[in-house]
Amino acid sequence: MWVSSVWRATLSPGRRAHSALAQLRGIVEGELEGIRGAGTWKSERVITSRQGPCIHVDGISGGILNFCANNYLGLSSHPEVIQAGVQALEEFGAGLSSTRFICGTQSIHKNLEAKIAHFHQREDAILYPSCFDANAGLFEALLTPEDAVLSDELNHASIIDGIRLCKAHKYRYSHLDMADLEAKLKEAQKHRLRLVATDGAFSMDGDIAPLQEICSLAARYGALVFVDECHATGFLGPTGRGTDELLGVMDQVTIINSTLGKALGGASGGYTTGPEPLISLLRQRSRPYLFSNSLPPAVVGCASKALDLLMENNAIIQSIAAKTRRFRSKMEAAGFTISGVDHPICPVMLGDARLSSQMADDMLKKGIFVIGFNYPVVPKGKARIRVQISAVHSEEDIDRCVEAFVEVGRLHGALP
């Protein structure tokens, strides 16, 4: 032992650094091998075209039908959205090279924030580089050790991470379980502020939070309600305002976080919208806002035009609803189990991680781009292929996807 200690002490700094790097490599390679061995390795396919219902994938000839993007309204390739981005790029430049409070706020940022607040019928809004940042910046700035936050156990990772950053007392209620939420609200009565936090639509399962019941309980126990609407903004509700509009509680949800990177143009960016004093507080204290560069003008231009198109005509909302029902009914008739209800996120539940990956690979061979989801993205034993419907899919696209699922499902024994 003494000789070994002396030997290590006499190693040069360069050799000690090399030894530490070798140790790191060994640890990381062991972790990676474990992921491969479990059949949960996540490969990234390279797209060589713009996003849309039909894409081109590196190494594969011909067009591929895309059924796994968050491009719910098909606006990421809409010519007016693209042109708005080009115009903003030419007029306002590539970027601000700064944070908002130093010299990174332009008129287009303020105009988009006002448009978002108007769309959601809220007092004010604040932009972030992503909704992950919006969730990371909200709870720490708002809640103190005197407060409490009550979170659905299946909330998005960004909500969970944001809650971890704050010093409030943390309660987790069982997924969509209103009896458990009420029990936790009773327990949390001793705290100053009580904030119920939930996804509006849950991205892995395609189910929707019972906001009417949540808001009723919140009113009964003097709590506020926060909803993440990333997988609802733009296409749920009669005019696409989201789950609070769908369920008739727009005046009862206090805070909404959502994204510009899905239905609203598909680029990047997120936001918080709610009471004006809260938004002002976030501008003063929210760390992701204070220490991140402002959104690039082209992204702002695209998102602003996407909102204009949505508010001008909501026919596209009815289109995605009809196509969602078509896919779900045909898949269930074929014998597949589809999680969720009436949401364009349509998880094809398979259970086995290897099966989901292998079926997704074989779907690609048939010209259908889908991805298998497994642990740790979803719980163990809950592997699935998550299909996402877009308003720009044709009925023929949907029928072709179902036919491919049936063929591949039978090949792998997922169907009789």
Side-chain angles (χ1 to χ4, degrees):
M1 178 68 73
W2 179 84
V3 173
S4 176
S5 299
V6 170
W7 181 80
R8 284 197 300 270
T10 58
L11 281 176
S12 67
R15 293 185 67 185
R16 286 199 295 271
H18 178 75
S19 177
L21 178 57
Q23 182 184 25
L24 171 65
R25 286 184 182 277
I27 292 171
V28 172
E29 286 172 0
E31 290 290 326
L32 295 176
E33 189 56 38
I35 295 171
R36 293 188 185 95
T40 58
W41 184 267
K42 298 164 188 63
S43 300
E44 295 183 2
R45 298 168 180 168
V46 179
I47 298 173
T48 59
S49 63
R50 65 178 57 180
Q51 186 65 275
C54 186
I55 57 176
H56 291 274
V57 178
D58 188 35
I60 299 176
S61 61
I64 303 294
L65 287 179
N66 186 6
F67 276 91
C68 62
N70 297 315
N71 188 26
Y72 293 111
L73 300 179
L75 296 180
S76 64
S77 298
H78 193 287
E80 291 185 51
V81 172
I82 293 172
Q83 183 55 42
V86 171
Q87 182 176 339
L89 180 66
E90 292 177 343
E91 183 175 352
F92 292 97
L96 278 298
S97 307
S98 185
T99 61
R100 287 283 297 270
F101 83 96
I102 297 177
C103 60
T105 297
Q106 293 175 318
S107 56
I108 52 173
H109 295 100
K110 300 303 294 182
N111 292 341
L112 179 56
E113 286 170 337
K115 192 175 292 186
I116 288 169
H118 173 72
F119 178 73
H120 284 286
Q121 300 178 18
R122 298 309 197 274
E123 294 176 11
D124 202 358
I126 179 174
L127 290 170
Y128 286 89
S130 69
C131 192
F132 206 112
D133 286 312
N135 284 337
L138 173 68
F139 302 99
E140 183 182 25
L142 174 62
L143 302 177
T144 75
E146 298 179 70
D147 306 316
V149 57
L150 304 94
S151 176
D152 188 292
E153 66 177 346
L154 293 188
N155 275 340
H156 190 274
S158 59
I159 300 175
I160 295 169
D161 286 357
I163 289 172
R164 284 172 176 165
L165 292 171
C166 77
K167 293 182 172 62
H169 296 264
K170 301 168 182 67
Y171 298 81
R172 185 174 67 172
Y173 63 92
S174 300
H175 183 49
L176 307 183
D177 187 333
M178 295 299 96
D180 193 33
L181 173 58
E182 182 171 19
K184 298 296 194 304
L185 280 167
K186 289 178 180 177
E187 189 179 345
Q189 287 301 290
K190 55 183 175 288
H191 303 298
R192 185 187 64 166
L193 289 177
R194 294 161 297 282
L195 178 67
V196 180
T198 182
D199 276 304
F202 290 82
S203 61
M204 287 299 110
D205 293 285
D207 48 8
I208 296 172
L211 289 186
Q212 292 175 332
E213 292 86 347
I214 288 173
C215 289
S216 177
L217 286 172
R220 187 182 311 166
Y221 293 98
L224 305 170
V225 177
F226 159 86
V227 182
D228 180 307
E229 290 282 64
C230 285
H231 290 276
T233 298
F235 56 94
L236 287 188
T239 62
R241 264 64 178 181
T243 54
D244 62 339
E245 182 189 44
L246 177 71
L247 298 174
V249 291
M250 290 187 74
D251 60 338
Q252 299 174 55
V253 173
T254 312
I255 307 165
I256 286 176
N257 278 8
S258 195
T259 182
L260 307 173
K262 293 182 172 59
L264 301 183
S268 62
Y271 57 85
T272 297
T273 186
E276 188 278 330
L278 169 64
I279 302 304
S280 295
L281 179 67
L282 293 176
R283 293 192 195 279
Q284 299 302 313
R285 291 186 178 174
S286 181
R287 291 166 67 87
Y289 177 81
L290 290 170
F291 298 107
S292 297
N293 269 20
S294 54
L295 272 180
V299 172
V300 177
C302 288
S304 184
K305 176 54 70 172
L307 272 172
D308 289 343
L309 292 171
L310 181 59
M311 289 190 283
E312 288 168 6
N313 189 342
N314 65 0
I316 196 170
I317 299 169
Q318 279 71 49
S319 173
I320 191 173
K323 290 167 184 176
T324 295
R325 289 192 294 271
R326 184 182 187 92
F327 178 81
R328 284 178 169 272
S329 63
K330 284 179 172 287
M331 287 290 285
E332 289 171 351
F336 287 103
T337 298
I338 311 298
S339 179
V341 179
D342 294 334
H343 193 284
I345 291 175
C346 304
V348 182
M349 304 303 293
L350 299 169
D352 182 80
R354 290 183 187 276
L355 176 62
S356 66
S357 296
Q358 290 169 353
M359 282 186 60
D361 289 342
D362 283 347
M363 288 289 288
L364 186 61
K365 296 175 184 176
K366 292 186 175 295
I368 308 294
F369 194 124
V370 289
I371 296 294
F373 283 70
N374 45 58
Y375 181 82
V377 179
V378 296
K380 290 182 178 179
K382 298 288 185 178
R384 79 281 309 267
I385 292 176
R386 188 179 72 174
V387 175
Q388 289 172 271
I389 306 301
S390 173
V392 290
H393 284 132
S394 67
E395 291 185 352
E396 291 75 18
D397 293 339
I398 290 170
D399 292 349
R400 182 177 159 194
C401 182
V402 173
E403 290 167 5
F405 260 110
V406 171
E407 292 174 12
V408 171
R410 286 173 178 163
L411 176 67
H412 289 275
L415 289 180

